[in-house]
Amino acid sequence: MPGFLEYTLYLSTDDVRVAHHLARILNQKGGRDVVARGQESERGAAVVVRIFGWQEFSLVRVLETVRAGARNYNVQVTGGNLSPAPVEALLAVVQHALLLDGLPVIAGATPREPLREASGRKADASTV
């Protein structure tokens, strides 16, 4: 796994200038923890963000910064993609979204252990 997370946010516009502006805001706010760029994608304009210090500049902070800036252009964030990420980074998003006092404990499967059905055989994607 690389030393950074890559988070792509798709915008409800084809105007890549908006994506460039939002990337500039993230670069200013994120300091050395964030490198962002605006670009065209198959889904319209996108902001591609590399987060080197997700503990200091969280995924939620990236999303909310882009959303706030996009509102100034009457644009919305319509979706996104995330590179493979540490479980702790995802749990921090859950903690923030659900207003939890601490990180939740994950019961069940781990990334190294495939999900299993009650019968004990491996579950395929269609049954999960």
Side-chain angles (χ1 to χ4, degrees), residues 7-67:
Y7 188 20
T8 303
L9 296 165
Y10 300 105
L11 307 175
S12 64
T13 183
D14 292 328
D15 189 350
V16 74
R17 294 175 299 177
V18 174
H20 287 302
H21 177 75
L22 297 173
R24 190 169 39 243
I25 291 170
L26 277 172
N27 287 327
Q28 290 170 351
K29 291 188 177 217
R32 287 185 281 166
D33 296 320
V34 173
V35 175
R37 69 183 187 280
Q39 70 180 36
E40 294 178 13
S41 76
E42 67 281 351
R43 294 173 59 176
V47 180
V48 179
V49 187
R50 285 190 174 179
I51 307 166
F52 293 92
W54 63 265
Q55 298 90 341
E56 289 78 29
F57 206 88
S58 70
L59 291 166
V60 171
R61 188 168 175 198
V62 169
L63 175 60
E64 292 306 323
T65 300
V66 172
R67 278 184 174 162

Side-chain angles (χ1 to χ4, degrees), residues 1 8 31 34 53 73 76 87 89 95 118:
M1 189 178 313
T8 303
V34 173
Y73 295 94
Q76 295 179 342
V87 172
Q95 180 180 2

Side-chain angles (χ1 to χ4, degrees), residues 67-111:
R67 278 184 174 162
R71 278 193 290 270
N72 294 329
Y73 295 94
N74 293 322
V75 169
Q76 295 179 342
V77 176
T78 60
N81 286 323
L82 182 63
S83 66
V87 172
E88 294 83 8
L90 301 177
L91 289 176
V93 172
V94 170
Q95 180 180 2
H96 177 81
L98 299 178
L99 304 175
L100 302 175
D101 293 331
L103 290 176
V105 175
I106 303 298
T110 64

